[in-house]
Amino acid sequence: MRVELVTATADDTRAVGAAIAEVLRPGDAAALTGDLGAGKTTLVQGVARGLGSDAHVVSPTFTLVREYDARLRVHHVDVYRLDRVQEALDLALDEIAASGGVLLVEWGDAIEALLPADHLLVELTVADDDRRRIAVRGVGVSWRARWERLERVLEPWAVAA
Ligand code: ADP
Ligand code: MG
């Protein structure tokens, strides 16, 4: 389960985040990978907005976990200190399990093994200037069940893989 997207602007990437938000369910976890400036936080802004939050979403560097009130409470982790990954994720995973929120982790590729078995992987790369290539991959049965729907909402930005 994989879809490739291209966005032309930061607002486009926010719109992709908002589209993903439409199919999120309580307890979901997603990892966002990509270099500094690739657009991970920008995409989280879109997810939070899509879930109805009007919070000002910034990179959670130095706070480990930021939370935004929304239809599904957003737990936003930026794994900038590898020695604290486990601590941050344990905390956030307990919280989303209890509260029915969602977890969005930046720089997640190194910690995929620590995520729930079912999760979403979003990989951002800078194509040229403002264009970003965004690969979205679903892992697990819960994503299989809603994959067609996710593909449908992401259709406006889809490109051939
Ligand atoms: P990261 O969290 O991956 O370090 P940010 O989302 O903080 O990245 O920063 C991405 C920067 O790139 C922002 O300044 C944003 O406005 C800019 N940008 C330009 N084009 C895009 C695009 N298509 N998608 C996302 N961000 C873009
Ligand atoms: Mg960031």
Side-chain angles (χ1 to χ4, degrees), residues 71-150:
R71 187 156 49 76
L72 303 173
R73 191 171 175 81
V74 178
H75 300 257
H76 181 197
V77 172
D78 194 341
V79 180
Y80 73 104
R81 282 186 51 183
L82 282 173
D83 58 323
R84 297 190 61 190
V85 168
Q86 187 77 62
E87 179 193 345
L89 288 185
D90 285 352
L91 194 74
L93 287 170
D94 280 355
E95 283 180 7
I96 65 161
S99 75
V102 296
L103 171 63
L104 304 173
V105 186
E106 293 195 35
W107 266 288
D109 58 342
I111 50 86
E112 188 184 350
L114 304 178
L115 294 179
D118 287 20
H119 58 264
L120 202 62
L121 293 175
V122 182
E123 191 182 336
L124 296 108
T125 42
V126 179
D128 52 70
D129 300 328
D130 286 353
R131 289 159 69 83
R132 300 291 189 272
R133 212 175 169 89
I134 306 176
V136 181
R137 196 148 64 81
V139 180
V141 287
S142 91
W143 282 102
R144 181 159 304 287
R146 51 192 148 143
W147 192 251
E148 276 184 22
R149 203 170 144 229
L150 182 63

Side-chain angles (χ1 to χ4, degrees), residues 4-8 11-13 15-17 19 153-159:
E4 292 269 347
L5 316 171
V6 169
T7 62
D11 272 345
D12 256 4
T13 296
V16 165
V153 297
L154 294 177
E155 174 73 46
W157 305 278
V159 294

Side-chain angles (χ1 to χ4, degrees), residues 48-70:
R49 192 190 63 197
L51 290 173
S53 166
D54 53 12
H56 178 60
V57 175
V58 294
S59 218
T61 307
F62 306 122
T63 52
L64 224 49
V65 187
R66 277 175 193 270
E67 294 178 26
Y68 309 106
D69 249 330

